[in-house]
Amino acid sequence: MYVQELEPVAGSLGLSALVAALPLVIVLVLLGGLRTKAHLAGLTGLSGAVLVACLAYRMPLDQTLSGAVQGAAFGLFPIMWIVVNALWVYRMTVRTRHFDVLRRSFGRLSDDPRIQALVVAFCFGALLEALAGFGAPVAISAVMLVALGFDPVRAAVVALVANTAPVAFGAMGTPVVTLAQVTGLPLDSVASVVGRQTPLLALVVPLVLVWLVDGRRGLRDTWIPAVACGVAFAVAQFAASNYVSAQLADIAAALAGAGALVAVPHARVPASEAVRTSVLTGARSGELDEEDPRREVVRAYAPYGLIVLIFSVAQIPVVKDRLAGATRTFDWPLLDVAAPNGEPVGANAFTWPVVSTGGTLVLFAGVATAAVLGLRARTAAGEWLATVRELRFAILTVTSVLALAYVMNLSGQAATIGYAVAAAGAGLAFLSPVLGWFGVAVTGSDTSANALFGALQVTAARESGLSPDLLAAANSSGGVLGKMISPQNLAIACAAVGLAGREGDLLRKVLPWSLGLLLVMCLIVVGQSTFVFGWMLP
């Protein structure tokens, strides 16, 4: 048995923490300073974590490598299993051109560009985040806004800022699933707290978007639809994450937000020519004027309805128990690790949710989608393989980062850093979202940031007397605000709207919003750690 040590370097917590932080420093410097490709940075950081575990923490090499393999396995299943199948559903709608039908349907909801920004960037962007994540919502939303006549810079900024509130539950809940796994906290408890933080952002972001589109006039004219959209989104995200399923949180929120916009009379008031002239400075795509048969519109919306239906059925107690019956748990080979107190750690065993995981449920929805859209089995299978090829570097990045996180957690490196960080005391509640924000700003992924810093946050929370659930959730909730300034997302936005090389211009426009909303989240977490907002927690 390998027993974790907290102070393996010269018996000093400070020195041990500095050595333990080396793998994270390597990743952050390579990504943020040298702009190395993410998968190469992840593999290099993993190598550093293995060396620190073996040389400084004296963890046996076989156990170190076994821990890394378990992390990579978790990165493949269920994490990337969810992402691959979700993006596959989207690719099939593009292949059959039903995505274009959906885009035209959105364009006909309102001729007011401020409302269009809410529908496309906030609501539909959240739906794309729920299904795919990893930059897809920014790219697709920005392209759709440009087609509607938005200036490319404005379209990119709106898409980036809108991609905040849904991120923590993106890709069918992948970030919170990862957070629960690396921290050992129950998924329901982590998702519940995140679902009491990010909905508060959803109340603000729609107002920010109409300001970005049309300034003070946009806020004055369309604040009612913006508030209605934000409230509906927030309520649905809170309810789904706390009482239904974390995987359905963003889908429910996106549909509720869009439904609120349709229901509010102010959203259907035609925009004045002065507004359209000042806001729509680009060329509107003539394709938007095409009429689509009602049958094709229904088929365009069908994939999302199927996902909601299948996930809802999976939450019925009888069905849920039957699906959980296929879950397999077994001892992980060559791994026998105990915490500093001598208690075995949970990672000694590996749980494989064969059917009940979100990725398998999305796969079922994908098969049904192929049938509804009229795709042949051979064509649908080809799209699935093309999705895997498209995501090959993302798969390598996620598996290497999860392997790094597992090595750091199992060897004791994360615990050492956590104990050192706990010295911040009460200030830790304020700094916790900042750490998540920094992690996402550098890695471009809330999933990766949760894998890197989740266990650290929990250890620090326990040592400082704060709620582990609160700080773990704060890592994810703060992280969503770093998404808009991550080099990865900036590059995606620029490439989507033809602004290659102008990432710096976008950064200057979105950075103030990122920092301002981060401050709001820090204050929320501080309040939730005290009697001020403590009543909000479950």
Side-chain angles (χ1 to χ4, degrees):
M1 176 181 287
Y2 167 72
V3 181
Q4 297 172 349
E5 292 184 67
L6 294 177
E7 302 175 353
V9 181
S12 167
L13 182 63
L15 288 176
S16 299
L18 289 175
V19 173
L22 284 176
L24 297 178
V25 172
I26 289 171
V27 173
L28 299 179
V29 169
L30 288 177
L31 281 172
L34 303 181
R35 302 202 173 190
T36 306
K37 292 184 182 299
H39 63 281
L40 295 177
L43 290 171
T44 306
L46 171 60
S47 301
V50 169
L51 289 175
V52 170
C54 293
L55 300 180
Y57 282 77
R58 294 182 289 279
M59 186 179 190
L61 179 61
D62 59 344
Q63 296 213 50
T64 303
L65 295 179
S66 180
V69 172
Q70 184 181 160
F74 179 71
L76 288 173
F77 194 100
I79 301 304
M80 292 310 296
W81 179 240
I82 297 172
V83 176
V84 167
N85 289 322
L87 193 57
W88 174 51
V89 173
Y90 163 71
R91 284 183 63 99
M92 286 192 289
T93 66
V94 173
R95 175 66 179 258
T96 60
R97 303 191 67 81
H98 283 91
F99 178 75
D100 295 331
V101 175
L102 194 66
R103 181 173 63 180
R104 287 191 288 270
S105 175
F106 289 158
R108 286 190 288 270
L109 287 176
S110 172
D111 73 340
D112 190 326
R114 298 161 301 188
I115 302 301
Q116 289 173 341
L118 294 177
V119 172
V120 173
F122 188 66
C123 297
F124 187 60
L127 191 59
L128 291 171
E129 182 67 38
L131 296 180
F134 293 88
V138 170
I140 296 167
S141 297
V143 168
M144 290 177 71
L145 290 175
V146 170
L148 289 168
F150 278 68
D151 170 74
V153 173
R154 182 175 288 162
V157 170
V158 168
L160 285 166
V161 175
N163 191 222
T164 48
V167 169
F169 295 103
M172 308 309 294
T174 296
V176 291
V177 169
T178 303
L179 185 61
Q181 181 70 18
V182 299
T183 59
L185 299 172
L187 173 60
D188 290 345
S189 65
V190 173
S192 177
V193 179
V194 175
R196 295 161 193 251
Q197 293 173 343
T198 55
L200 299 176
L201 290 176
L203 299 175
V204 179
V205 172
L207 295 170
V208 173
L209 295 180
V210 296
W211 174 278
L212 288 171
V213 172
D214 195 28
R216 186 174 300 174
R217 178 179 59 187
L219 198 59
R220 184 181 64 246
D221 293 349
T222 58
W223 70 269
I224 293 178
V227 168
C229 178
V231 169
F233 187 103
V235 170
Q237 191 181 61
F238 161 75
S241 61
N242 278 266
Y243 304 113
V244 183
S245 166
Q247 286 91 345
L248 281 178
D250 279 349
I251 293 178
L255 296 177
L261 283 175
V262 172
V264 174
H266 292 76
R268 299 193 296 273
V269 176
S272 68
E273 194 57 37
V275 169
R276 294 182 59 79
T277 301
S278 63
V279 174
L280 301 178
T281 54
R284 184 177 184 276
S285 173
E287 179 193 352
L288 296 172
D289 296 323
E290 294 181 18
E291 287 293 332
D292 297 299
R294 183 181 296 273
R295 180 171 178 270
E296 295 306 311
V297 174
V298 171
R299 293 173 74 188
Y301 282 91
Y304 312 105
L306 287 169
I307 289 175
V308 173
L309 176 63
I310 288 174
F311 271 83
S312 298
V313 170
Q315 297 306 310
I316 298 173
V318 175
V319 178
K320 189 174 184 177
D321 292 342
R322 181 65 64 88
L323 295 177
T327 298
R328 297 288 178 264
T329 300
F330 53 89
D331 292 332
W332 190 259
L334 304 177
L335 207 56
D336 189 10
V337 179
N341 61 6
E343 293 291 325
V345 300
N348 289 330
F350 185 77
T351 300
W352 184 24
V354 184
V355 182
S356 60
T357 184
T360 303
L361 297 178
V362 176
L363 178 66
F364 293 157
V367 172
T369 294
V372 170
L373 298 183
L375 274 175
R376 295 177 179 273
R378 183 186 183 93
T379 304
E383 287 297 324
W384 192 91
L385 292 175
T387 303
V388 174
R389 285 195 296 271
E390 180 182 338
L391 290 173
R392 61 189 183 279
F393 290 117
I395 292 172
L396 186 55
T397 299
V398 170
T399 52
S400 62
V401 168
L402 263 297
L404 181 156
Y406 268 60
V407 170
M408 292 189 66
N409 294 344
L410 288 167
S411 64
Q413 295 173 59
T416 298
I417 299 172
Y419 275 80
V421 171
L428 186 60
F430 186 88
L431 295 175
S432 184
V434 177
L435 187 59
W437 173 86
F438 181 71
V440 176
V442 173
T443 66
S445 165
D446 201 35
T447 299
S448 296
N450 286 344
L452 291 175
F453 300 133
L456 184 157
Q457 298 265 25
V458 168
T459 301
R462 286 173 175 152
E463 286 305 299
S464 61
L466 294 171
S467 164
D469 288 334
L470 175 62
L471 293 202
N475 191 84
S476 191
S477 299
V480 305
L481 300 168
K483 196 81 180 281
M484 69 178 83
I485 64 167
S486 69
Q488 171 184 308
N489 253 26
L490 290 170
I492 288 172
C494 284
V497 297
L499 296 174
R502 295 185 59 183
E503 289 84 358
D505 294 340
L506 288 188
L507 177 61
R508 284 189 289 274
K509 289 181 179 295
V510 300
L511 181 59
W513 295 106
S514 178
L515 293 174
L517 292 172
L518 174 63
L519 176 60
V520 171
M521 181 54 66
C522 290
L523 295 176
I524 289 171
V525 175
V526 170
Q528 290 178 333
S529 70
T530 67
F531 68 91
V532 178
F533 291 146
W535 52 269
M536 295 176 61
L537 299 181

